[in-house]
């Protein structure tokens, strides 16, 4: 049986609580592990902010985005304000933060220029 991993964000303590094979009943901010690890062997969860490379139709670019589940496509995606791509086509994936502690990492690059 596959191990199901979850984490829950606690706004009071500003920290995550980890769970395996069960969901906590007391919180609304639950994020599931997506079933893959980044380049440094760190588990990737919904709500993580990741950086990686995209190679589609001769276009090679670096992308920063939030890991989200797209229910209509039935897949996890890396999504930002410009696009969303299947997480499985992202290479050199690295978790660089999460939406609760590092939301500023999702700000458009033009805003910092």
């Amino acid at each position: 049986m596959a191990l199901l991993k979850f984490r829950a964000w606690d706004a009071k303590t500003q920290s995550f609580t980890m769970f395996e094979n069960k969901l906590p009943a007391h919180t609304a901010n639950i994020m599931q592990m997506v079933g893959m690890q980044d380049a440094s062997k760190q588990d990737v969860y919904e709500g993580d902010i990741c950086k990686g490379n995209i190679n589609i139709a001769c276009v090679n670019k670096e992308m920063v985005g939030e890991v989200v589940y797209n229910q209509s496509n039935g897949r996890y995606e890396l999504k930002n304000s410009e696009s969303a791509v299947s997480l499985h086509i992202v290479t050199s994936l690295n978790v660089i933060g999460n939406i609760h502690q590092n939301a500023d990492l999702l700000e458009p690059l033009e805003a910092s220029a």
Side-chain angles (χ1 to χ4, degrees):
M1 182 169 100
L3 179 66
L4 298 175
K5 292 183 178 182
F6 301 91
R7 68 181 183 190
W9 175 251
D10 186 327
K12 281 186 180 180
T13 63
Q14 297 289 296
S15 64
F16 287 105
T17 302
M18 308 304 279
F19 300 90
E20 290 185 0
N21 290 330
K22 63 180 178 176
L23 284 173
H26 64 280
T27 185
N29 293 316
I30 299 169
M31 291 152 270
Q32 185 172 1
M33 201 264 268
V34 302
M36 61 190 300
Q37 295 179 327
D38 72 358
S40 63
K41 305 294 184 204
Q42 179 177 341
D43 290 341
V44 178
Y45 285 83
E46 292 175 276
D48 279 341
I49 299 172
C50 296
K51 182 191 308 188
N53 295 317
I54 311 296
N55 295 304
I56 303 173
C58 299
V59 174
N60 183 10
K61 71 175 192 170
E62 185 175 83
M63 180 176 177
V64 174
E66 177 186 353
V67 176
V68 298
Y69 183 73
N70 182 324
Q71 191 168 356
S72 63
N73 289 332
R75 66 182 187 189
Y76 287 100
E77 297 178 338
L78 190 60
K79 181 179 180 181
N80 61 26
S81 61
E82 297 174 359
S83 61
V85 297
S86 174
L87 197 57
H88 286 78
I89 67 166
V90 180
T91 60
S92 303
L93 184 72
N94 283 297
V95 175
I96 59 172
N98 65 72
I99 60 169
H100 297 288
Q101 298 169 309
N102 314 99
D104 57 312
L105 294 174
L106 290 175
E107 293 175 3
L109 297 177
E110 298 82 36
S112 62

